[in-house]
Amino acid sequence: MFRQVAHRILTRSTTTYSAGAAATIRRPYSTEVVADASSGDSAFVEAWKKVAPNIDPPKTPIQYMEPRPPTPSTLPSKLTVNFVLPYSAELSKAEVDMVIVPATTGQMGILPGHVPTIAELKPGLLSVHEGNDVKKYFISSGFAFVHSNSYADILAVEAIPLDRIDQAQVQKGLSEFTQKLNSASTDLDKAEAQIGVDVHSALNSALTG
Amino acid sequence: MAMAALRKEGRRFAPLVSSPNPINAIRSTLAPTEEQVGLGVRSISTQVVRNRMKSVRNIQKITKAMKMVAASKLRAIQVRAENSRGLWQPFTALLGDTPSVNVKKNVIVTISSDKGLCGGINSTSVKISRALHKINSGPDTQCKYVVLGEKGKAQLIRDSKKDIELIMTELQKNFLNYTQVSVLADDILKNVEFDALRIVFNKFQSVVSFLPTTATVLSPEIVERESEAGGKIGDLDSYEIEGGETKSEVLQNLAEFQFSCVMFNAVLENACSEQGARMSAMDSSSRNAGDMLDRLTLTYNRTRQASITTELIEIISGASALEG
């Protein structure tokens, strides 16, 4: 009886802690675990049971995701965008009209019904158009996937809203890296300086253009 | 007669002291106390019990403090782990999840903690890695390990030493961030040949529940092979490739980016699970110490009262001997 009481105290204290911390902010993906707990790759589970029948098979990532909707027959009116960074999910299932991403081949506009694409991104300006709102971010490189069901996934390593960038610092960085590029000796130094120059000039054009 | 009563009292204490379930740290002090109590030496037996109580009380304080520390670390890292969960989902949406893929060169990346006292999560990860190794090693396939973390290394090095390619420890010495993990991923990609990478980690579901998970990242050649064969990645061909010179270059970058993203999430989730498991392990340890302390207090009081009683008996029998 003592142990039951103690166990209840433990669960009560831990649930109040986690409920208090997590319930205050509604974070995207924070409750995505066990969306689809039962199914899994059946071939994998079979192979597992043959080798290790006493241990439960590990879960795989597809069991933690909500399945994506299939391709609709008519053209959807809005594009659903997931814009994710390692540190946060900026946009999660946001319905927008258009997104312009800085692909390596140039600025690419994505509208609902866009052809399925895998695009590699270079440092540049990303703008999200929703009605009359335009949100602009400067992103470092990443990838953008457009699926046939008008879902767009944009992954970037860093993204900063434009109003947080300091013009003076950008100019200073640009001149510094141009100098390094001119005085670089080894290939590695040259590559690093070139990357610096590219990023800073992209920043510059994003701020001015 | 007094000595017989004393000896009876002494023998009664021996089973009482040995009955509580000892936590491992106390076990070493158990053996000497039994003999001393059995002989029924008066003042020293209260001293012995008092020493034990002091050490158990210290252990209780230490484990309670460790639980508080783990709770605060968990709060900090849980936010970051949950924010990083969006990172791997686009890859699974694009490429699907293929844990049963059949390839020649498998590499199992086991993520474990550096510090101990965190319950059974490291053993679970190692068990799962070993079972995956068994599934994937056959006559024409090979399976290697890359181990992250001291505890996993200690367990795997015992029987799979020749299969371990790379060991990395002290990941959490500096604050975990994406740059560090991408450098790590780069190291692994450069030094290890692979067709499929299987990352084994504990996903954090709640403070008391951790789900062992395995995420699979395929090399670009295998992605092409699977997409041609149809099945889960079948419609990869329908995607237009923008950027880069050739499709294979973009797929190569994609595979590397996928690996670093999935690793980042896996490392954060495992760190979260480690702190949560440590919290519950330390909590049960301090509760156990509390129980033990209660039992020792009872023993102590009984010993003390028994010694007072025997003194009284001696005095009274001495006095009655003088009178009578």
Side-chain angles (χ1 to χ4, degrees):
Chain A
M1 192 204 86
F2 208 36
R3 220 166 281 278
Q4 283 173 0
V5 169
H7 180 68
R8 239 180 290 135
I9 294 176
L10 167 65
T11 48
R12 197 170 0 116
S13 67
T14 52
T15 47
T16 50
Y17 146 72
S18 55
T24 46
I25 324 158
R26 180 71 186 85
R27 279 192 291 273
Y29 306 114
S30 64
T31 51
E32 45 92 296
V33 190
V34 291
D36 197 358
S38 52
S39 73
D41 194 347
S42 51
F44 178 63
V45 175
E46 291 295 323
W48 182 272
K49 287 225 190 309
K50 271 188 245 162
V51 169
N54 301 328
I55 317 175
D56 278 336
K59 302 237 188 308
T60 51
I62 202 138
Q63 294 172 286
Y64 298 129
M65 255 180 77
E66 281 176 22
R68 292 283 174 90
T71 314
S73 44
T74 62
L75 204 62
S77 58
K78 292 263 192 195
L79 188 66
T80 319
V81 174
N82 291 322
F83 177 32
V84 285
L85 306 166
Y87 301 110
S88 68
E90 285 285 332
L91 296 171
S92 160
K93 293 215 195 115
E95 307 250 328
V96 299
D97 295 323
M98 179 170 77
V99 178
I100 304 184
V101 295
T104 41
T105 50
Q107 296 278 58
M108 185 169 98
I110 305 178
L111 289 149
H114 195 279
V115 149
T117 314
I118 300 177
E120 210 176 318
L121 305 177
K122 64 172 187 212
L125 192 61
L126 168 85
S127 46
V128 178
H129 299 252
E130 167 66 34
N132 289 327
D133 278 338
V134 180
K135 270 194 275 207
K136 294 198 187 168
Y137 300 91
F138 184 82
I139 59 172
S140 72
S141 42
F143 268 87
F145 308 141
V146 186
H147 303 277
S148 49
N149 49 10
S150 288
Y151 261 69
D153 293 312
I154 306 175
L155 298 103
V157 177
E158 289 276 357
I160 322 171
L162 272 188
D163 46 12
R164 292 220 211 126
I165 306 180
D166 182 5
Q167 178 88 19
Q169 286 274 33
V170 173
Q171 297 289 27
K172 205 172 72 153
L174 184 58
S175 53
E176 201 182 303
F177 274 101
T178 337
Q179 210 177 20
K180 263 195 220 163
L181 182 60
N182 291 334
S183 64
S185 45
T186 64
D187 269 342
L188 183 64
D189 286 343
K190 264 199 204 121
E192 285 181 9
Q194 184 68 50
I195 294 174
V197 166
D198 285 341
V199 172
H200 281 85
S201 36
L203 265 168
N204 221 356
S205 54
L207 283 174
T208 53
Chain B
M1 203 209 100
M3 290 308 289
L6 202 62
R7 229 173 282 125
K8 250 190 284 174
E9 296 292 330
R11 246 177 278 131
R12 217 161 33 113
F13 298 141
L16 277 175
V17 175
S18 58
S19 65
N21 303 326
I23 26 184
N24 291 338
I26 299 296
R27 199 175 291 212
S28 53
T29 61
L30 196 52
T33 61
E34 279 190 44
E35 319 162 342
Q36 278 168 308
V37 175
L39 288 174
V41 186
R42 283 200 300 268
S43 46
I44 298 180
S45 54
T46 63
Q47 183 64 33
V48 163
V49 179
R50 224 173 327 142
N51 282 341
R52 286 201 60 190
M53 280 170 65
K54 195 165 70 154
S55 63
V56 173
R57 206 175 294 124
N58 282 341
I59 289 196
Q60 189 184 32
K61 281 192 206 151
I62 291 171
T63 52
K64 216 180 270 187
M66 286 183 77
K67 176 190 167 197
M68 291 294 125
V69 167
S72 71
K73 286 196 181 158
L74 175 67
R75 214 171 302 139
I77 208 168
Q78 188 177 357
V79 173
R80 305 180 64 214
E82 289 183 356
N83 282 338
S84 79
R85 276 185 188 158
L87 202 55
W88 56 263
Q89 295 204 353
F91 292 107
T92 313
L94 180 72
L95 297 169
D97 193 23
T98 51
S100 57
V101 68
N102 204 350
V103 292
K104 286 215 173 49
K105 301 200 203 118
N106 293 289
V107 175
I108 302 181
V109 182
T110 311
I111 305 186
S112 60
S113 65
D114 284 329
K115 304 211 178 107
L117 293 179
C118 50
I121 54 168
N122 292 321
S123 312
T124 322
S125 291
V126 169
K127 258 193 303 191
I128 304 250
S129 311
R130 288 206 180 114
L132 276 177
H133 183 99
K134 238 193 272 180
I135 295 182
N136 284 308
S137 47
D140 54 348
T141 61
Q142 55 156 295
C143 198
K144 297 259 172 220
Y145 288 106
V146 169
V147 189
L148 270 65
E150 284 284 348
K151 296 289 153 189
K153 162 184 152 197
Q155 292 194 32
L156 281 173
I157 219 166
R158 274 201 327 240
D159 57 353
S160 318
K161 190 162 179 188
K162 55 180 173 46
D163 282 331
I164 300 183
E165 286 273 345
L166 214 54
I167 300 177
M168 298 182 186
T169 54
E170 295 198 355
L171 277 117
Q172 296 201 37
K173 202 156 92 162
N174 308 316
F175 195 52
L176 274 173
N177 58 0
Y178 183 71
T179 323
Q180 176 191 18
V181 176
S182 57
V183 168
L184 219 128
D186 200 33
D187 258 343
I188 297 179
L189 288 168
K190 269 200 294 234
N191 294 325
V192 182
E193 275 189 30
F194 68 96
D195 284 333
L197 285 153
R198 297 169 197 275
I199 307 173
V200 177
F201 62 102
N202 292 84
K203 192 175 171 82
F204 181 77
Q205 189 185 14
S206 78
V207 182
V208 291
S209 135
F210 323 107
L211 306 169
T213 312
T214 171
T216 317
V217 174
L218 304 170
S219 77
E221 296 89 24
I222 301 295
V223 169
E224 294 239 29
R225 188 191 86 183
E226 292 288 311
S227 71
E228 274 157 32
K232 296 213 185 110
I233 330 181
D235 50 357
L236 191 63
D237 275 338
S238 63
Y239 283 81
E240 272 199 29
I241 311 283
E242 287 273 339
E245 312 284 314
T246 60
K247 178 173 174 180
S248 54
E249 200 184 303
V250 173
L251 280 184
Q252 169 89 358
N253 289 342
L254 187 69
E256 296 183 357
F257 192 45
Q258 181 186 9
F259 182 48
S260 71
C261 288
V262 176
M263 274 294 281
F264 183 61
N265 183 57
V267 168
L268 280 179
E269 299 267 0
N270 204 55
C272 243
S273 309
E274 177 199 337
Q275 299 297 342
R278 185 166 298 135
M279 239 181 91
S280 51
M282 291 296 106
D283 180 68
S284 62
S285 172
S286 51
R287 202 160 337 112
N288 199 8
D291 286 348
M292 226 180 149
L293 204 56
D294 289 339
R295 266 191 298 256
L296 282 173
T297 312
L298 290 174
T299 314
Y300 176 72
N301 286 330
R302 250 196 297 266
T303 323
R304 189 178 51 86
Q305 288 160 357
S307 74
I308 295 173
T309 312
T310 48
E311 287 225 36
L312 282 172
I313 290 175
E314 283 182 1
I315 295 171
I316 294 170
S317 52
S320 66
L322 280 176
E323 282 174 27

